[in-house]
Amino acid sequence: SVAEMCPASKASLSDRELALAFEILRLLVGKVEVNIRRHIADYLADRNDVPRDLIRSLAKEEIGVAYPILAHNTVLAADDLIEIIEECSLRHRQAIAIRPHISQAVTDRLVALDEIEVLTTLLCNETADIGEASMRHLVERSLEIESFREPLAHRKEMTGEMARRMYIWAGDSLRDFIVESFDVN
């Protein structure tokens, strides 16, 4: 009931009542079963007025609870995401790789771990900001990991130099795309 009260229209709760409801949730989250925590996370995932400590707590839960928070909640800052990347599971990292508009600091950390499943997800996230050093690493990894090639070639961060490098091991159709899209001779 408290979880459903929080996401309800703010017009029905005063700021004090909303803060009290979040405090009750904060106290309950560690004491209720996983299905209820998942329900709470689903309700709070799209809200940006939830206390950061409550969101961080839910983001570090098992992935069934954490996923909607990791993939959608805007309260989590880059340093929160990096901490979760370092402390939590591969599935947590995949959920972070799906997030819209993740920063270079976060993508750099994901790339540094070099987990193929996470990197594949990251490459398909068109809004993720991938830095030049990370892009160079991914281009080099595409020599061995063919599934990286197509999404890499379509990234906005791809440079002509990187495309020329990848052209060497790309298949015929991808080579045609590279020639058409980049100044590759």
Side-chain angles (χ1 to χ4, degrees):
S1 296
V2 174
E4 291 176 7
M5 193 170 41
C6 290
S9 170
K10 270 188 91 171
S12 63
L13 291 177
S14 70
D15 288 342
R16 170 103 174 95
E17 292 167 330
L18 189 61
L20 183 58
F22 284 135
E23 183 61 30
I24 292 167
L25 277 178
R26 188 181 288 113
L27 295 170
L28 288 177
V29 153
K31 297 177 180 164
V32 295
E33 65 184 65
V34 114
N35 289 339
I36 295 172
R37 292 194 310 269
R38 185 176 309 126
H39 188 70
I40 292 169
D42 284 339
Y43 271 117
L44 301 180
D46 294 325
R47 293 189 58 128
N48 63 5
D49 61 345
V50 182
R52 187 172 171 202
D53 66 313
L54 178 56
I55 291 298
R56 284 174 46 94
S57 173
L58 290 167
K60 291 181 177 184
E61 287 271 351
E62 65 180 68
I63 193 61
V65 174
Y67 181 84
I69 299 294
L70 292 172
H72 304 291
N73 192 275
T74 59
V75 172
L76 293 171
D79 59 326
D80 298 322
L81 296 170
I82 290 169
E83 182 180 319
I84 292 164
I85 288 167
E86 293 172 359
E87 294 177 2
C88 296
S89 74
L90 172 79
R91 299 292 173 231
H92 286 76
R93 291 186 285 279
Q94 281 184 301
I96 290 170
I98 290 171
R99 286 176 72 85
H101 308 291
I102 52 178
S103 70
Q104 270 189 34
V106 174
T107 61
D108 285 348
R109 189 65 197 123
L110 290 170
V111 170
L113 293 174
D114 204 38
E115 297 166 319
I116 294 170
E117 301 91 338
V118 174
L119 296 179
T120 301
T121 302
L122 179 64
L123 286 171
C124 293
N125 180 346
E126 295 177 359
T127 66
D129 188 7
I130 302 176
E132 185 177 345
S134 290
M135 278 294 290
R136 288 184 190 285
H137 174 78
L138 292 167
V139 167
E140 291 304 315
R141 293 291 282 140
S142 75
L143 173 62
E144 300 169 23
I145 305 165
E146 189 175 337
S147 63
F148 283 11
R149 296 174 192 167
E150 184 77 25
L152 265 171
H154 290 88
R155 297 281 321 172
K156 65 185 180 294
E157 300 91 350
M158 179 62 86
T159 65
E161 176 191 339
M162 292 176 202
R164 278 189 292 282
R165 176 83 176 129
M166 198 168 69
Y167 179 87
I168 296 167
W169 54 81
D172 290 339
S173 63
L174 189 54
R175 281 183 176 177
D176 291 343
F177 175 80
I178 290 171
V179 167
E180 290 173 14
S181 302
F182 300 94
D183 185 22
V184 176
N185 298 335

